[in-house]
Each structure stands twice: as C-alpha cells, then as structure tokens.
C-alpha cells in the first residue's frame, strides 16, 4: 500500500511551486524541496532546525540527471552509478553552478543520489526538478523509517507520502569522488568493500585531514534518541535510572535486517519514562560497519 497516483501528482505540484513534502525512500523518509530553488531549500533548514553548515543530498531520477548537476563527472562516478543506482549510495562530486550554495552549505561539491523507492522516483518524475532532501526529522533526532515518525517529529505542517516502512532503514553510504582518491565519508549498507570491487581502493575518512575532504555533519552528535543510548557487552547495563535492555536475541542476526529494524526500535523504546536504552553490541565485520557507525553517533 502506498500513496495513490493523484496524491503523488499533487505532491509534485507542491514541490514545483516551492513547498516541502516528506516522502519515502529506501533508506529513511526524506524532507524534500526543489534543489534549484534557494527559498524552498531554506524552508528545509527552518523546518528541521538544521544549521546551514550541514549540506543536503540532492535526489535525482537517473544518472543522466545527476551528470547534469555535476561540473565534473568522473569515470569512477559513472562506474558506481552503473553498479549501485538506483540505490542507497550518495556520490559527492564538483557541483554545477545551477545548484544554489544553500544546498551544499557553501561547498564547491554536491552529494547526488538516485533513490530506488518507486514512490520517490514517481515523485521526482511528477515534480520535474531535483529534490534536496535530508531525513524528515528535527535536527539530531533519530531518522524516520515510518510516516508516523515524520509526523511525531515535524508535526502536521508538512504533507507526508506514506508507503510503509523504509526497507534499508539507515542513511545512504556517502563517497566523495571530488578529490584525487575516493573517500568514504559515511558508511552505509553499500560497504567500502562493495565500492572497492567496482572502482578500486576507497580511503576511510579517518585517513584524511578534515580540510581535505570536508564531511560536514559527520562530527556532530547525530541520530540520537532522547534517552541515553548505550552499547553494552554481556548485558552489563547501568545500575541506576530506569532503562530497557535489548538482548542479543532481540535484534536480527543479519546486518541488513538489523539496519532495517534499528531506528524503528529506537523510536519505540525512546519514551519519557525511559532514562537509558542499552543495546547489546552487534557482531563485527564489513556488513556491520554502518550499524556500528550509527550506534556510536547515537550513543555519543
Ligand atoms: P543527510 O543528513 O542524510 O541528509 O545527509 C547529509 C550528509 O551527506 C551530510 O551530513 C554529509 O555527510 C553528506 N554530504 C552531503 N553533501 C555533501 C558534500 N557536498 N560534501 C560532503 N559531504 C556531503
Ligand atoms: Mg538526518
């Protein structure tokens, strides 16, 4: 069950005339605006309470539309587009002058993605413009994987296209192709190893100075519930306060299923009477890298 074609068409008109629409993607729900309209994009920052120093990902309907928004389209971008688009991969490339500076927080680069969710693709088609879209929640809160999470965070001011749970469940992988070497700016369910199989070595952000590959937003507390989140071993939970422990058997043993369930679980457990949420540490390995990354940020 998803939104009816008339609803998508109406949402496309809202976007084309400068309004905001929250919509499903395969990663999390996004808060979209026309990426070529600076005033519309300003409404995203306002609605989220997001600082202007944090750049937005621009969603497009296909690789040709992505190329049109890039000043330079590297060979490696073309290869990754063929391998992983549509899908949960954002590529950072030099930006085309048509993209207003507010979208990229003044950076000379832009993050581009072709989502695979059929409703997101239909909406891009209906709007007829690229959509700047961060997660549809107040800044630093846990990203929404259900329409109900969007409404709980942003209220009723923004229309939400409801297509049920987001399948991937955590934010896209972000790789920069703007410098000499590809750099993984944010891990996601498309892993560093997956990227390396297509374009060769991909450096980790830790191997670079912040100045060389700016990844704004990555160093701030992010994706956090209101309750204190702890990642614990062998059930070693706090002795004080009221909390919930999520044991090893209570989350999926498969990384893709774990990611898909994680934020919904945090939203559900994050109640006013809960001081802490203690999650048993998930397994290690490449498939789990993005999950460890999000838990580390949420637990900061
Ligand atoms: P989100 O919060 O899911 O909308 O993702 C935005 C994140 O994508 C930012 O916090 C950055 O990590 C990354 N990003 C987007 N655009 C750029 C860019 N031009 N340069 C570097 N990172 C970017
Ligand atoms: Mg977010």
């Amino acid at each position: 069950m998803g939104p009816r074609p008339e609803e998508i068409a109406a949402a496309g008109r809202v976007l084309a005339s400068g309004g905001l629409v929250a919509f499903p993607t395969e990663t999390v729900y996004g808060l979209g605006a026309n990426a070529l309209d600076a005033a519309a994009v300003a409404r995203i920052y306002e609605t989220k309470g997001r600082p202007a120093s944090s750049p937005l990902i621009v969603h497009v309907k296909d690789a040709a539309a992505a190329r049109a928004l890039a000043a330079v389209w590297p060979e490696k971008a073309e290869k990754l587009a063929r391998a992983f688009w549509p899908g949960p991969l954002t590529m950072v490339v030099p930006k085309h002058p048509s993209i207003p500076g507010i979208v990229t927080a003044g950076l000379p680069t832009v993050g581009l993605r072709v989502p695979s969710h059929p409703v997101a693709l239909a909406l891009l088609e209906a709007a007829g413009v690229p959509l700047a879209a961060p997660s549809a929640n107040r800044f630093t809160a846990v990203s929404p994987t259900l329409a109900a999470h969007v409404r709980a965070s942003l209220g009723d001011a923004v229309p939400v296209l409801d297509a049920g749970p987001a399948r991937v469940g955590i934010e896209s992988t972000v790789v920069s192709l703007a410098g000499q070497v590809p750099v993984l700016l944010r891990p996601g369910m498309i892993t560093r190893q997956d990227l390396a199989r297509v374009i060769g070595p991909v450096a980790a952000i830790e191997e670079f100075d912040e100045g060389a590959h700016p990844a704004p937003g990555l160093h701030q507390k992010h994706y956090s519930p209101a309750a204190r989140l702890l990642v614990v071993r062998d059930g070693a939970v706090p002795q004080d306060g009221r909390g919930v422990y999520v044991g090893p058997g209570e989350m999926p043993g498969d990384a893709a299923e774990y990611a898909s369930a994680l934020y919904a679980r945090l939203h559900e457990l994050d109640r006013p009477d809960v001081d802490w949420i203690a999650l048993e540490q998930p397994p290690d390995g490449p498939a789990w890298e993005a999950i460890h990354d999000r838990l580390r940020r949420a637990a900061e």
Side-chain angles (χ1 to χ4, degrees):
M1 267 293 287
R4 287 169 292 116
E6 310 87 81
E7 277 179 77
I8 295 174
R13 286 192 294 273
V14 169
L15 289 164
S17 60
L20 303 184
V21 172
F23 63 97
T25 82
E26 72 277 23
T27 57
V28 301
Y29 275 71
L31 179 62
N34 177 357
L36 304 178
D37 178 345
V41 174
R43 283 179 205 117
I44 292 181
Y45 286 95
E46 222 171 275
T47 303
K48 280 183 64 82
R50 178 166 167 137
S53 57
S54 194
L56 305 178
I57 292 170
V58 176
H59 296 71
V60 288
K61 64 178 181 166
D62 55 27
R67 275 197 300 277
L69 297 178
V72 181
W73 187 247
E75 179 65 33
K76 285 176 180 165
E78 187 58 31
K79 286 186 175 162
L80 289 177
R82 286 211 193 101
F84 298 112
W85 279 356
L89 176 67
T90 298
M91 292 195 246
V92 172
V93 294
K95 85 171 195 61
H96 189 272
S98 62
I99 300 174
I102 188 173
V103 172
T104 64
L107 293 170
T109 54
V110 61
L112 298 170
R113 177 165 108 81
V114 179
S116 67
H117 198 294
V119 173
L121 289 170
L123 183 64
L124 282 161
E125 193 64 51
V129 290
L131 298 177
S135 55
N137 56 277
R138 297 284 299 173
F139 185 62
T140 79
V142 175
S143 291
T145 58
L146 289 174
H149 299 155
V150 178
R151 292 190 199 103
S153 191
L154 299 183
D156 293 325
V158 178
V160 187
L161 294 176
D162 186 349
R167 177 180 55 82
V168 176
I170 65 172
E171 301 81 356
S172 61
T173 304
V174 181
V175 64
S176 172
L177 301 170
Q180 290 298 320
V181 248
V183 180
L184 184 69
L185 299 181
R186 176 170 75 185
M189 296 314 285
I190 293 176
T191 67
R192 184 137 79 105
Q193 290 74 10
D194 293 335
L195 301 175
R197 273 193 286 277
V198 179
I199 56 167
V202 175
I205 181 76
E206 294 78 18
E207 296 164 31
F208 286 84
D209 292 351
E210 248 177 75
H213 271 279
L218 288 183
H219 305 287
Q220 295 147 8
K221 179 171 164 147
H222 224 128
Y223 323 119
S224 307
R228 194 153 62 100
L229 181 74
L230 303 151
V231 179
V232 301
R233 284 173 193 277
D234 304 323
V237 302
Q239 296 309 301
D240 59 323
R242 280 169 303 182
V244 251
Y245 170 59
V246 182
E250 293 173 79
M251 287 294 285
D254 171 77
E257 286 171 32
Y258 190 108
S260 186
L262 177 61
Y263 289 165
R265 202 67 199 270
L266 293 180
H267 280 290
E268 170 199 320
L269 297 176
D270 194 17
R271 293 183 309 258
D273 60 328
V274 170
D275 301 317
W276 51 261
I277 300 166
L279 272 182
E280 186 63 28
Q281 166 142 312
D284 284 319
W288 294 86
E289 194 192 344
I291 291 162
H292 285 284
D293 171 80
R294 300 307 188 279
L295 289 177
R296 206 158 38 239
R297 287 175 209 291
E300 261 164 22

